[in-house]
Structures are given as C-alpha cells and as structure tokens.
Amino acid sequence: METQKLPQSLEKALSRLTANKAHSTGNAAQCAISLPCSACQDHKGIRLENDGVFIKASLCSCVTTCKICAGTCAKPESGGVIDCQKPSPVKIVGLLNDAKIPGRYVDASIKNFSNFTGSGKTVMAQIMRWIEHFVPGKSSGLLLTGSVGVGKTYVISAVAKELALRGISVRFADFYQLVNELRDAYSSDGKSMSPTKPLHDFEVLVIDELGKGRNTEWEVSIADSLISDRYNGNKSIIASTNYGLKEGNTDATQRTIDLWSTGPQSSNQMNAESFENLNKRLGPRIFSRLKEMTVFLELTGADFRRH
Ligand SMILES: [Zn+2]
Ligand SMILES: [Zn+2]
C-alpha cells in the first residue's frame, strides 16, 4: 500500500499530540540539572575554581537560571520539598567550600593520577574501590605513605574532593599548618580549650603530612588529640605521611589489603613493620590507633616535582 502524505495541518496537530503525550508520561517538568551542561560537565550543577588558596565551589548558571527550581535545586511536591538531585548541588557547594582543599588541586582526580613509575596504578585502583565502598563512621580510613614528590597531596586532595561531591562532610588540613593555627588559637585565648573542636564535626578529616615538623611534645600532643578525637567519636581519618618507609621494603604493592570491610577492627593485612618510623615518631599509642582506624597504603614512584 502506498503511504499517503498527511495534510500539513494534520501532521502538525499529530506531532503536538505525541509531544504532549511524551511529556505527560515523564516527570512533569525537568530541572536544568538533569540536562547536559558544557560549563559544569561531570560536576552536575557545580563549578570549581582555584581562588588562590583553596578550591572554591559555586552553583553553575545552569542551576541558578533553572526555571523549575530557580537555583534552589528543590521543588515542592506532594506537600513537601524534594531535591531535584541527591545530594543537592546546593549542599555540595557548601561541603566543598568548608573542605578547604588546596586550590592548586582543583582539577585533581584519582582517575587522572599519572605517576605510574611505582605503585601508582595499583594504589589508585585500590583507592577508587575504597571510595565506592566508603561509609563515614563505618569504613576504615586511609593512611597513605610515600616519599616526597610522589603525589600524596594530589591523591588525598582528589579523595577529599570526591567525598564532598558525594555529599560527605570533609575537612582538609596540613598537619604542620594546623599545629601552628592551634597554637595561635591556644595562646591568644589563654585558657584551656579543646584544640580539635572546630574539626570534630566533619565526618572525614584529611591530614596532609602527618608527623611533619620538629616533633615537639606539643606537636605530638596535637596529633594525639586529633586522632583520639576521631577514634572516640567514631569518625573517619585520611592522612598522608612521609614517614614509615623501611629501607629495602619493595613488596608494599604485593600486600593484600581488605579495603572494603567495615568496622575499625577490619583485617588490614599490612606489614606494620614497614611503618615503624611513624610509630617511632608519634609513639605507639597514636600509631596503634591509626592501625585500627585506617588502611595502610604505600605510594612509591619517582619525584614528580623534579620533572
Ligand atoms: Zn532546577
Ligand atoms: Zn552547568
């Protein structure tokens, strides 16, 4: 049978009808966040930039100009308010700005880590699986050891960013800087206060260069209260350290690590001996808590700062 061409007016009417039908079967009206945006791409609705010190996050114009939610990323529905996307980009922007991640790592991501001169490939695969399974307060944290320039700060910054993008509250801090800040706060206040107070509320604390400094009694006591606070509050910790490499230890990447078990007593089958330098530096009390709370990972490779 020959296909007959419909009169133009009828064709138009028909296409309007089909369009209406498609519309009514889906969600009534879609938030702009569900549409592709070239400005925010993977970070749905969120723009990231380096403000010179920290990573600064803001809502993308695709969200702020959205006709459905007017930048709130929430809409009234059946008596309540529901987020257009979970976690809400509005919440994530707040989490990223509170995280204080170094601005120079604004583009850092585990999948883009490229120092494969040592254990990089294996460790990044482990960290990616760790992120997928991470539950704050339940999963083990991470303790990343490795020599200077191998990329530890890049890695833990990328992890901090990824956790915030997943709606987890996280705070990044450089240990040495933290010690100084807390000392200043302590001496200007004059009275005894809990030095870990402002950090306590974060689900995850990320400490860069744990143990760095002159290793004074004060510094060790700060490390002790930070880690005890995490331990007692059942909160997670991620840390990097230059300490803990035993000379001649080359089998770190061969260790089988139980990354995705939950609970502080997870069976990390790591070689604790290779971390004895950190043990010596911070003392057995802090070290044994770290051992309970984290999975030990060793990142080896060339010093990328020299290239
Ligand atoms: Zn919207
Ligand atoms: Zn956008």
Side-chain angles (χ1 to χ4, degrees):
M1 200 169 73
E2 212 176 301
T3 318
Q4 271 189 327
K5 198 166 160 45
L6 291 165
Q8 240 188 5
S9 56
L10 188 63
E11 197 176 27
K12 265 188 191 160
L14 201 69
S15 75
R16 224 178 295 135
L17 222 130
T18 352
N20 281 345
K21 199 182 172 201
H23 205 90
S24 63
T25 48
N27 285 335
Q30 279 192 320
C31 175
I33 201 166
S34 58
L35 307 170
C37 170
S38 60
C40 58
Q41 296 178 1
D42 292 347
H43 309 125
K44 291 189 154 199
I46 297 154
R47 300 288 298 271
L48 299 175
E49 58 182 322
N50 175 1
D51 79 352
V53 185
F54 302 121
I55 293 178
K56 190 177 169 255
S58 56
L59 281 177
C60 181
S61 60
C62 65
V63 175
T64 54
T65 60
C66 172
K67 289 188 177 70
I68 305 302
C69 68
T72 60
C73 258
K75 56 188 173 189
E77 200 166 287
S78 57
V81 175
I82 62 154
D83 292 333
C84 301
Q85 181 180 279
K86 275 188 178 167
S88 162
V90 179
K91 179 189 170 185
I92 293 172
V93 163
L95 292 174
L96 282 162
N97 288 329
D98 287 346
K100 299 197 171 181
I101 304 163
R104 65 183 182 280
Y105 298 111
V106 65
D107 297 321
S109 77
I110 297 301
K111 71 174 195 294
N112 291 339
F113 184 81
S114 58
N115 187 353
F116 297 141
T117 52
S119 65
K121 213 156 210 159
T122 312
V123 171
M124 290 320 114
Q126 289 171 321
I127 291 177
M128 270 196 258
R129 284 201 65 184
W130 177 88
I131 289 171
E132 290 303 323
H133 293 79
F134 179 71
V135 181
K138 285 191 175 168
S139 308
S140 298
L142 295 175
L143 179 58
L144 187 64
T145 186
S147 50
V148 173
V150 76
K152 298 186 302 297
T153 308
Y154 178 102
V155 170
I156 62 170
S157 296
V159 172
K161 195 174 89 175
E162 184 56 37
L163 295 180
L165 284 167
R166 286 167 183 249
I168 295 166
S169 77
V170 51
R171 169 71 143 83
F172 185 102
D174 176 273
F175 180 68
Y176 192 61
Q177 221 175 319
L178 197 63
V179 164
N180 289 326
E181 277 169 31
L182 293 170
R183 197 203 322 259
D184 291 347
Y186 193 85
S187 54
S188 66
D189 192 60
K191 48 189 189 241
S192 91
M193 50 175 238
S194 166
T196 58
K197 189 76 178 149
L199 303 171
H200 176 81
D201 291 341
F202 292 92
E203 289 173 301
V204 181
L205 180 62
V206 181
I207 302 179
D208 196 21
E209 307 248 44
L210 181 63
K212 188 190 173 185
R214 285 164 298 154
N215 206 26
T216 60
E217 219 175 292
W218 164 263
E219 284 162 8
V220 173
S221 77
I222 291 294
D224 186 61
S225 34
L226 281 173
I227 287 150
S228 298
D229 183 65
R230 295 272 113 194
Y231 185 86
N232 295 329
N234 196 26
K235 300 214 166 173
S236 306
I237 192 162
I238 295 173
S240 79
T241 184
N242 292 334
Y243 296 96
L245 286 174
K246 196 181 177 184
E247 266 190 67
N249 174 39
T250 52
D251 66 345
T253 57
Q254 303 300 316
R255 284 182 232 144
T256 324
I257 301 169
D258 186 7
L259 280 173
W260 18 93
S261 66
T262 55
Q265 294 286 353
S266 64
S267 55
N268 306 339
Q269 296 165 29
M270 73 302 157
N271 176 6
E273 270 181 39
S274 67
F275 284 83
E276 67 180 0
N277 291 348
L278 187 67
N279 188 8
K280 266 187 201 154
R281 186 141 181 109
L282 296 177
R285 180 184 137 97
I286 299 176
F287 185 78
S288 73
R289 288 197 163 168
L290 284 170
K291 208 165 108 183
E292 261 189 70
M293 296 167 76
T294 63
V295 168
F296 288 3
L297 294 173
E298 185 174 16
L299 186 59
T300 60
D303 183 348
F304 257 37
R305 293 176 202 175
R306 291 186 184 179
H307 296 287

